[in-house]
Amino acid sequence: MIPSIKIEDYSYDLPEERIAKYPLPERDSSKLLVYEDGHVSDHVFRDIPSLLPEGSIMVFNNTKVVPARLHFQRESGAHIEIFCLEPVEPAEYATAFATCGRCSWKCVIGNAKRWKNDILHAYNPSSDPAFAAMDLKARLVEREGQTGTVEFEWLGGESFSRVLEICGTVPIPPYLNRETESIDLERYQTLYALTRGSVAAPTAGLHFTDRVLDAISARGIDREYVCLHVGAGTFLPVKSEDVADHPMHREPFVVSLDLLKRLAGRKGKIVAVGTTSVRTLESLYYVGVSCIEKGHPEDVSQWAPYSRTYEYSPQEAVGAIVSYLEANSLKELKVGTRIIIVPGFRFRFVDVLVTNFHQPESTLILLVSAFLGGDWRTVYDHALANGYRFLSYGDSSLLKRRD
């Protein structure tokens, strides 16, 4: 039942000048495209509170981007870039960030062929004394092509999160074609970012300001939060001709027991801020199925939604998770997902999506197409014809699901 989808059918011409290289001076001054039942209208993002369904639940991803890009230098002078993806030892994010002296991470390694398994020293071009005092080193434990497991070691008794703050840089997307600048430290982060762990921002949330959030609450719309740590693979174009051959990487997520109870008894529409929130919410159904059939939650596999027919209601699925957490005196669900959302996917929770405009031939375009019943070109053709800015620092859209 895995769908055969040709990725070339989800391409479009994106001129370089339409990619927003920098954010606008005000977060909420971006354009907002609204799609409903095949019709498109133009707005400004700060108007979004009045455009949301009354009585809805709005779900945000409060993950926090970490300065996960580190630069090292071999004795030969060759530079090696190491991009931390997920912790290996310790394996839990909070513990890994809090650890002192030594830890290991799965990483993307730039210029990997130049690294001959010797010990690397962190590159400190500005001769920062705090940087130098840490004497940060890297050792390659295991190599897997352009990725591998890297062990870091440092002095001074500081936590690894502090090491990254001093020695690392914010990993802005490569399609911006520029180096990280001081503006990115503030603007490549949502105002409500809380839990460290992402290597890419959940960019739909970058438009929200305090006044917009306050106006949403003033309308009686409930603001809730999940946490999915965004991996580097999320925004990559699909390289295989058939989407069935594209591997999705695991991303861990956390959902509170209180929110699960709200979802089990929900009455209003659910508005997801960003594709990461969609993937989190829709993964809950399959976690719930695992609780029903196996008695415990399991990671969601990439093609689980398409592997069989499911007869359980969303309320039954979420109710099973609630029962499991309560029986085990747990206050939150912690699990992972590799879910891919493509045309033919059956949405069980999300009714409205707030999202930016994504790269051609990406899994995010596939998700938008699935959400709009295949009508993604109406949205993108309008955006291209009407001066919208694209990708991470670009404009936004409010999409109402079309089955």
Side-chain angles (χ1 to χ4, degrees), residues 16-44:
E16 181 73 16
E17 64 269 18
R18 300 302 294 277
I19 298 173
K21 300 298 179 69
Y22 293 91
L24 294 175
E26 295 183 335
R27 289 177 183 260
D28 58 10
S29 63
S30 59
K31 291 184 176 183
L32 177 69
L33 182 154
V34 176
Y35 174 98
E36 184 172 12
D37 294 330
H39 301 288
V40 173
S41 57
D42 301 303
H43 305 263
V44 178

Side-chain angles (χ1 to χ4, degrees), residues 243-315:
V243 175
D245 298 322
H246 176 73
M248 294 288 284
H249 298 289
R250 180 184 185 272
E251 293 171 313
F253 70 85
V254 179
V255 181
S256 70
L257 175 59
D258 288 343
L259 176 54
L260 290 165
K261 287 180 176 179
R262 292 221 56 194
L263 294 175
R266 64 132 168 171
K267 296 180 176 63
K269 301 282 189 181
I270 294 179
V271 181
V273 178
T275 56
T276 60
S277 295
V278 174
R279 295 177 66 249
T280 301
L281 291 167
E282 295 298 333
S283 292
L284 291 176
Y285 182 81
Y286 305 97
V287 175
V289 169
S290 177
C291 288
I292 293 170
E293 298 182 348
K294 299 181 180 180
H296 57 84
E298 288 186 343
D299 280 5
V300 181
S301 64
Q302 178 167 336
W303 297 107
Y306 316 91
S307 62
R308 51 177 273 208
T309 299
Y310 298 88
E311 301 296 341
Y312 307 109
S313 70
Q315 289 71 31

Side-chain angles (χ1 to χ4, degrees), residues 89-121:
E89 180 61 41
E92 204 276 323
Y93 276 83
T95 307
F97 285 124
T99 195
C100 298
R102 180 178 297 169
C103 64
S104 59
W105 284 65
K106 181 179 180 182
C107 302
V108 174
I109 303 167
N111 209 9
K113 292 181 179 179
R114 303 289 296 276
W115 192 359
K116 306 301 182 184
N117 298 339
D118 47 326
I119 302 295
L120 302 183
H121 293 264

Side-chain angles (χ1 to χ4, degrees), residues 185-202:
L185 300 179
E186 174 193 356
R187 296 298 298 277
Y188 197 63
Q189 198 81 268
T190 64
L191 290 184
Y192 48 82
L194 182 64
T195 307
R196 292 173 299 214
S198 281
V199 298

Side-chain angles (χ1 to χ4, degrees), residues 78-331:
H79 287 264
I80 308 292
E81 181 181 289
I82 298 178
F83 187 2
C84 298
L85 292 180
E86 60 181 284
V88 174
E89 180 61 41
E92 204 276 323
Y93 276 83
T95 307
F97 285 124
T99 195
C100 298
R102 180 178 297 169
C103 64
S104 59
W105 284 65
K106 181 179 180 182
C107 302
V108 174
I109 303 167
N111 209 9
K113 292 181 179 179
R114 303 289 296 276
W115 192 359
K116 306 301 182 184
N117 298 339
D118 47 326
I119 302 295
L120 302 183
H121 293 264
Y123 180 56
N124 182 12
S126 61
S127 300
D128 181 344
F131 190 131
M134 288 186 168
D135 191 23
L136 178 63
K137 301 173 185 175
R139 180 177 68 87
L140 185 61
V141 176
E142 183 179 7
R143 188 192 302 267
E144 302 172 32
Q146 294 299 113
T147 66
T149 301
V150 177
E151 182 183 71
F152 299 101
E153 187 174 340
W154 63 97
L155 303 176
E158 297 281 8
S159 67
F160 190 60
S161 63
R162 182 62 178 158
V163 171
L164 292 176
E165 287 174 11
I166 292 176
C167 305
T169 57
V170 173
I172 60 172
Y175 49 66
L176 295 183
N177 290 323
R178 64 175 177 83
E179 293 298 317
T180 301
E181 299 179 22
S182 57
I183 191 173
D184 301 308
L185 300 179
E186 174 193 356
R187 296 298 298 277
Y188 197 63
Q189 198 81 268
T190 64
L191 290 184
Y192 48 82
L194 182 64
T195 307
R196 292 173 299 214
S198 281
V199 298
T203 55
L206 299 180
H207 305 277
F208 288 87
T209 58
D210 287 332
R211 65 179 169 184
V212 169
L213 294 170
D214 290 345
I216 288 169
S217 296
R219 282 204 65 217
I221 294 168
D222 184 29
R223 287 159 43 198
E224 298 283 352
Y225 296 90
V226 296
C227 182
L228 179 140
H229 290 319
V230 187
T234 300
F235 303 106
L236 295 178
V238 177
K239 296 294 180 64
S240 52
E241 291 184 9
D242 196 304
V243 175
D245 298 322
H246 176 73
M248 294 288 284
H249 298 289
R250 180 184 185 272
E251 293 171 313
F253 70 85
V254 179
V255 181
S256 70
L257 175 59
D258 288 343
L259 176 54
L260 290 165
K261 287 180 176 179
R262 292 221 56 194
L263 294 175
R266 64 132 168 171
K267 296 180 176 63
K269 301 282 189 181
I270 294 179
V271 181
V273 178
T275 56
T276 60
S277 295
V278 174
R279 295 177 66 249
T280 301
L281 291 167
E282 295 298 333
S283 292
L284 291 176
Y285 182 81
Y286 305 97
V287 175
V289 169
S290 177
C291 288
I292 293 170
E293 298 182 348
K294 299 181 180 180
H296 57 84
E298 288 186 343
D299 280 5
V300 181
S301 64
Q302 178 167 336
W303 297 107
Y306 316 91
S307 62
R308 51 177 273 208
T309 299
Y310 298 88
E311 301 296 341
Y312 307 109
S313 70
Q315 289 71 31
E316 288 175 314
V318 176
I321 302 174
V322 170
S323 296
Y324 172 84
L325 294 179
E326 291 183 332
N328 290 275
S329 301
L330 299 172
K331 293 297 184 183

